[in-house]
Amino acid sequence: KSLSCKIILLTYIMIKSLSIIFPVFNEELRLKSSLDHINSFLKKKKKLKIEIIFVDDGSKDNSYNLIDRYIKKIHSKNKTKFKVIKSKSNLGKGGALKLGIKKARYDWILTTDIDMSVSLFQISNWIKKKSINNKHSVYFGSRSHKKSIVKRNLLRKLLGDIGSFFIFVILNIKIKDTQCGYKLYKKRYAKFAFSKLKNCGWDHDIEIILLLKLKNIEIKELPVKWTHKDNSKVNVFLDPIKMLIGMLIIKFRYA
């Protein structure tokens, strides 16, 4: 038991500080529950040095004002560092993350979706299971992992499987789930990859993988508990076509 505790402690020591980056685009309807979730996480992670970075990706609704008010309200009660970045135009998810990662200061960087389809507490589970065991690796949440618990409709699963097939055939990427938004990087790896990023839409994840491969940085897929949330920005008909075009552009760029 003592040895086990020491191993877990060493794993915790590896993550002393964490930057969490949320891309936000027209999320007014979902923000309240998401901000409540962030509060719950911060209350239970007081020993971990955390900064939260919201990147408003050209929202046309009240998202920015809601986040701004939240930060002003919570800042006096919490030692967590907060930042909100406002983009004048919609850059795409990859572009928003690129802005956030450029501003991130802490040793580890977690990128995740504001809808909380994967809970912030997932990282606690990874640590508890001793999954974060190498500071030279990047960790991708994977809905395709055999230990993942996934709640999504059949159409989205089918589209995900088709997408993974084309990603493998066109780009020889063997990562089973490139599109899960829950990803953990050592700071230097995130800053390297996103500084080189050209594709800023939903296909940015694919380019990030290729950039990491160029530097021989290992990517480990880890299980997640993932729940589909309503009001998703993903267009199940148009976005797969855009992603296919993006894949061909990426292939040409990295050929």
Side-chain angles (χ1 to χ4, degrees):
K1 184 178 180 181
S2 176
L3 179 60
S4 175
C5 289
K6 287 179 181 178
I7 292 172
I8 293 173
L9 181 60
L10 285 171
T11 308
Y12 269 102
I13 288 172
M14 288 179 66
I15 302 181
K16 293 181 179 179
S17 63
L18 179 68
S19 298
I20 305 175
I21 301 174
F22 295 100
V24 179
F25 178 63
N26 292 342
E27 291 287 354
E28 181 180 4
L29 296 176
R30 297 193 288 194
L31 265 174
K32 186 183 183 305
S33 61
S34 298
L35 296 175
D36 287 343
H37 182 86
I38 291 171
N39 284 343
S40 298
F41 179 76
L42 294 178
K43 285 177 182 178
K44 294 186 179 181
K45 296 298 166 192
K46 293 180 180 180
K47 293 182 180 180
L48 183 62
K49 195 175 180 182
I50 296 175
E51 72 170 350
I52 304 285
I53 301 175
F54 300 96
V55 184
D56 186 292
D57 190 22
S59 294
K60 302 299 183 184
D61 64 3
N62 202 35
S63 294
Y64 178 83
N65 292 329
L66 289 173
I67 293 169
D68 189 52
R69 287 203 296 268
Y70 165 76
I71 291 174
K72 288 175 180 176
K73 181 179 179 181
I74 195 175
H75 201 271
S76 60
K77 303 176 183 179
N78 200 297
K79 293 181 181 179
T80 301
K81 304 291 183 183
F82 293 92
K83 295 176 185 175
V84 57
I85 302 168
K86 174 70 172 175
S87 173
K88 292 181 181 179
S89 59
N90 179 237
L91 302 174
K93 185 178 179 181
L97 289 174
K98 186 172 184 174
L99 283 180
I101 285 170
K102 188 176 181 179
K103 297 291 185 180
R105 296 182 303 160
Y106 289 166
D107 290 339
W108 289 83
I109 295 175
L110 176 69
T111 65
T112 186
D113 297 329
I114 195 65
D115 66 0
M116 303 298 171
S117 51
V118 179
S119 165
L120 288 177
F121 289 99
Q122 182 66 65
I123 194 169
S124 304
N125 184 264
W126 286 355
I127 291 171
K128 184 179 178 181
K129 301 287 187 182
K130 294 174 279 188
S131 300
I132 313 300
N133 52 24
N134 187 345
K135 63 183 179 180
H136 300 298
S137 297
V138 169
Y139 299 90
F140 281 17
S142 174
R143 292 161 294 185
S144 298
H145 195 285
K146 63 181 180 181
K147 293 185 179 179
S148 288
I149 300 171
V150 178
K151 296 180 180 179
R152 59 177 165 174
N153 61 44
L154 184 61
L155 176 59
R156 285 183 177 272
K157 184 180 185 308
L158 179 62
L159 289 172
D161 291 342
I162 293 171
S164 296
F165 172 76
F166 279 111
I167 289 168
F168 173 71
V169 170
I170 295 172
L171 296 167
N172 194 31
I173 290 175
K174 297 178 182 178
I175 302 295
K176 292 182 179 179
D177 183 5
T178 62
Q179 300 309 117
C180 180
Y182 204 87
K183 295 179 171 69
L184 180 68
Y185 306 81
K186 195 70 175 169
K187 180 174 70 173
R188 65 181 180 273
Y189 296 151
K191 286 187 177 287
F192 157 74
F194 279 86
S195 70
K196 305 290 185 183
L197 185 68
K198 303 296 183 185
N199 285 47
C200 290
W202 296 105
D203 49 3
H204 80 276
D205 302 90
I206 301 168
E207 187 176 2
I208 289 295
I209 292 169
L210 294 178
L211 287 165
L212 293 172
K213 284 177 69 176
L214 285 175
K215 289 290 185 179
N216 295 314
I217 298 167
E218 181 184 29
I219 298 171
K220 292 185 178 180
E221 291 190 270
L222 298 180
V224 292
K225 184 176 180 181
W226 192 91
T227 304
H228 170 72
K229 299 296 177 73
D230 292 333
N231 300 310
S232 171
K233 301 298 183 299
V234 177
N235 185 315
V236 296
F237 300 107
L238 187 59
D239 287 331
I241 297 171
K242 289 181 179 179
M243 184 170 287
L244 181 59
I245 294 170
M247 278 185 240
L248 295 173
I249 293 170
I250 291 170
K251 182 177 178 62
F252 177 77
R253 183 180 295 140
Y254 291 91

